[in-house]
Amino acid sequence: YRSTLAPVTDTSGTGHFDKDVLEISIAEATLIDMSVKNAIVSLDNIIAGDGHANISLEVGGALPTVFKYIAAEPLALNEEKIGLDTRSVKGRADLAINLSFPTVKDFPEDQLKVVVEGKLNDVSLPDVGKDLDMKGGPFNVDIRSGMVTIDGDGKLEDRDVTFSWSQYFNPDDGPFASQVTAKASMDNAMRTRLGVNLDDWVDGPIF
C-alpha cells in the first residue's frame, strides 16, 4: 500500500470492487508486532487515476512499535515532530488511526490528513522536562491538525500529577511550539528540580 510503510501480514478480510472503487475490510491482521482489527481501506478512481485513499484501523501494541510505524513516510511523525525520545518510551497503545491522502507517488504534505485517537497504558515517558520522568496511565492521546496532545493522571517522579502536554509538528503553525500544564504537589525538592526557589517564603508542599 506504500513501500515506506511496514507491511500488513496475516490478514483476514474481504474485498469489493465496484464503480472504480476498491474497498477492503480487514477483520484482523498483524502490523509489525501490533494487532490490527476493524480496518477499512477505500481506494477510489482506481482505473481513472488521480484517486484518493481513505484508511481507518484500530491497532494495539507496544508504544515503541507504534512510534516506529508512524515515523515512516508518508506519515513522517518522527521524534522531532512528536518531541519525544520514542526509543526510550515504554508502555502500550490502543489507537484508532484514520488516514486520507491522494494515490499519487509524490503529493504535498498538506494533502495528508492524519487523525489518531486512543489510550496509552503502563506508560513511562523519560525526560518530559528538567530530566523528570512521567509514568502511569491511562493517558489520552490525540493527533490531528498538525498537533499531538497527551493528557491524563500519572506520576511525576513518584508524585501524583494531572497534566496535559501539546506540541505542534511545525512551531510556525501555532501560538506555541510545545506546552505543558500540570497540577501536582510541589515540595521543596521538586521546586528545586524545576528551578523554582521559594524557600524564603514557603516550606513544604504546595498543592
Side-chain angles (χ1 to χ4, degrees):
Y1 60 111
R2 178 101 180 187
S3 61
T4 50
L5 292 173
V8 177
T9 60
D10 304 322
T11 305
S12 172
T14 59
H16 178 74
F17 182 78
D18 184 41
K19 297 180 180 178
D20 210 11
V21 176
L22 173 63
E23 186 167 293
I24 302 171
S25 298
I26 300 172
E28 57 183 4
T30 300
L31 181 60
I32 312 178
D33 59 4
M34 299 182 293
S35 62
V36 177
K37 62 180 181 179
N38 300 328
I40 297 177
V41 179
S42 178
L43 307 171
D44 61 24
N45 291 339
I46 297 291
I47 298 175
D50 295 327
H52 219 81
N54 291 283
I55 303 173
S56 63
L57 67 157
E58 298 175 12
V59 300
L63 263 177
T65 305
V66 173
F67 286 128
K68 178 181 178 180
Y69 176 73
I70 65 177
E73 296 286 349
L75 305 182
L77 301 180
N78 52 34
E79 290 187 354
E80 181 180 357
K81 288 184 176 179
I82 293 178
L84 293 173
D85 180 359
T86 57
R87 292 165 294 182
S88 300
V89 170
K90 297 179 181 179
R92 176 181 173 84
D94 292 283
L95 306 173
I97 302 175
N98 290 274
L99 310 173
S100 176
F101 53 88
T103 52
V104 295
K105 183 176 181 180
D106 297 305
F107 55 83
E109 182 177 334
D110 62 1
Q111 291 188 24
L112 170 66
K113 307 300 181 184
V114 181
V115 175
V116 180
E117 299 174 293
K119 298 288 186 181
L120 310 180
N121 288 283
D122 302 320
V123 175
S124 175
L125 300 174
D127 192 17
V128 294
K130 301 289 186 179
D131 295 322
L132 300 173
D133 297 340
M134 179 79 72
K135 297 181 180 180
F139 298 150
N140 305 304
V141 60
D142 187 284
I143 301 174
R144 71 182 70 217
S145 302
M147 183 173 69
V148 55
T149 298
I150 299 175
D151 61 48
D153 297 324
K155 296 281 188 179
L156 183 66
E157 296 295 308
D158 297 323
R159 296 162 176 83
D160 291 334
V161 60
T162 299
F163 79 101
S164 177
W165 169 81
S166 299
Q167 175 156 321
Y168 282 92
F169 303 148
N170 184 348
D172 295 332
D173 290 343
F176 55 83
S178 181
Q179 176 177 275
V180 177
T181 59
K183 181 180 179 181
S185 172
M186 294 293 169
D187 55 24
N188 291 9
M190 179 60 74
R191 291 196 294 272
T192 299
R193 291 282 300 274
L194 294 173
V196 178
N197 187 349
L198 301 177
D199 293 350
D200 291 340
W201 301 278
V202 177
D203 183 37
I206 300 175
F207 296 91

